[in-house]
Amino acid sequence: MDDLAAVRSSTAVRRRAGGDLPLGTRILLGAALPVALVGIWQLIIVLDVIPAYRLPSPASVFLAGVDLVNRGVLGIHIAISVQRVILGFVIGSTIGLVIASFVGLSRLGNYLISPSLGGLRAIPSLAWVPLLGLYLGINEDSKVTLIAIGAFFPVYTVVSNALRHVDPQLLEAGRAYGYTGVRLLSLVQLPAVVPAVISGLRLALAQSWLFLVAAELLGASMGLGWLLTDSNQNGRIDRLFLTILLLGLFGIITDTIVGLIERALLKRWG
C-alpha cells in the first residue's frame, strides 16, 4: 500500500463496527413505525375522535388511489413529477458540486461567492415562483429550474464546507505524488469527502421533492404537486392524504437509491 493510500485509510471514518443487521431485519425495523402510525390512524377513525370530513380513513385513501389508477391518471401524475424531480436534482446537484469545489478550494471563491449565495439560500421556494414564471414562462423549464435551485444549495453548502476541512496530511501526501489542481481534487479531495457528498445529495433529493410542490404551481395541469393543490381546492381530503403519502414514499425510494450508491462509493473510497 503506498503512502497516499495509507493516509487515506488512516483518516477514513470507521463504520458499522459491529456489522450490519440482516436486510430483512432492517426492513422490518424501518416498517415498524409507519405500520404503527397507520394502526393509530385507523383507531382514531374507529373511535370517531376526528370527524371523517377532516380525517379520511386509511381505506378511503386507498380507494382514492384505486380510483385514480382506474381512471388511468395516477401513473401519469407520478411519472411527470418523478421526471421533473430527477431533471432538477441532476442539474442542481451537478452545478452545486462544481461551485462547491471552487468555493471550498479557493479563498478567492469563498470571499467572492459565499456571501451572495448565503443571501440567495434564504429566499423561500414560493418567492421564486413569480420570478421564474416572468422570465422563463409557464412551462417545464421554469419548473425544472425551481427544483434545481432547491437541489443546488444543500450540495453546495455541505460539500464546500467539507472541502475546506480535508485532512492536511492527506493533501500533503497527494502533493508529494505530484497531484495538483484537478487531479488533486478528483483523486484526493473529493474521495476524502465522499460521505459529505452523499449527505449533500440526500438533502438535495429531499429538497427537490419539497420544491416540486412549489414548482407545480407554475401553470401545471399534471403531477403530484398539482394533484395536492387540486385536491385541497376541491375538498378531496382522501386524495390530499394519498398525495402526501405518495410524496413521502417516493422520497424514501429515492433516498434508498442514494444510500445504495453510498455503499458502493464507500467500498471503494472508505
Side-chain angles (χ1 to χ4, degrees), residues 248-260:
L249 175 62
F250 283 104
I252 292 172
I253 291 172
T254 51
D255 185 71
T256 301
I257 293 172
V258 175
L260 293 175

Side-chain angles (χ1 to χ4, degrees), residues 37 62 73 117-118 150-151 155-156 181 208 212 218 235 259 263:
L37 290 175
F62 175 77
V73 295
L117 290 181
V155 174
Y156 159 74
S208 297
L212 171 72
L218 287 165
R263 283 173 172 268

Side-chain angles (χ1 to χ4, degrees), residues 78-100:
I78 292 172
I80 289 174
S81 288
V82 169
Q83 175 181 285
R84 288 168 178 161
V85 166
I86 291 176
L87 286 174
F89 167 73
V90 170
I91 294 170
S93 58
T94 300
I95 296 174
L97 186 60
V98 171
I99 296 182

Side-chain angles (χ1 to χ4, degrees), residues 111-259:
Y111 296 144
L112 185 65
I113 297 177
S114 288
S116 298
L117 290 181
L120 292 174
R121 184 172 51 203
I123 298 175
S125 59
L126 289 177
W128 291 101
V129 172
L131 189 65
L132 294 175
L134 177 64
Y135 289 102
L136 296 180
I138 308 301
N139 52 39
E140 285 300 302
D141 292 343
S142 57
K143 297 176 182 61
V144 172
T145 299
L146 181 57
I147 296 170
I149 290 171
F152 167 82
F153 285 106
V155 174
Y156 159 74
T157 303
V158 174
V159 176
S160 61
N161 184 66
L163 284 171
R164 285 195 292 268
H165 295 89
V166 173
D167 190 335
Q169 293 182 352
L170 188 60
L171 296 179
E172 289 177 10
R175 292 190 181 102
Y177 277 82
Y179 299 155
T180 58
V182 175
R183 283 177 60 80
L184 183 67
L185 172 65
S186 61
L187 297 177
V188 179
Q189 290 165 302
L190 282 181
V193 297
V194 164
V197 172
I198 297 299
S199 295
L201 291 175
R202 281 185 152 165
L203 290 172
L205 260 176
Q207 193 86 328
S208 297
W209 285 105
L210 291 174
F211 271 58
L212 171 72
V213 177
E216 291 183 341
L217 293 176
L218 287 165
S221 59
M222 296 294 289
L224 292 176
W226 176 86
L227 183 60
L228 182 72
T229 305
D230 181 73
S231 300
N232 181 55
Q233 291 175 346
N234 291 288
R236 290 298 304 269
I237 60 170
D238 51 352
R239 291 184 180 179
L240 180 68
F241 273 74
L242 172 68
T243 308
I244 292 172
L245 292 174
L246 286 174
L247 288 169
L249 175 62
F250 283 104
I252 292 172
I253 291 172
T254 51
D255 185 71
T256 301
I257 293 172
V258 175

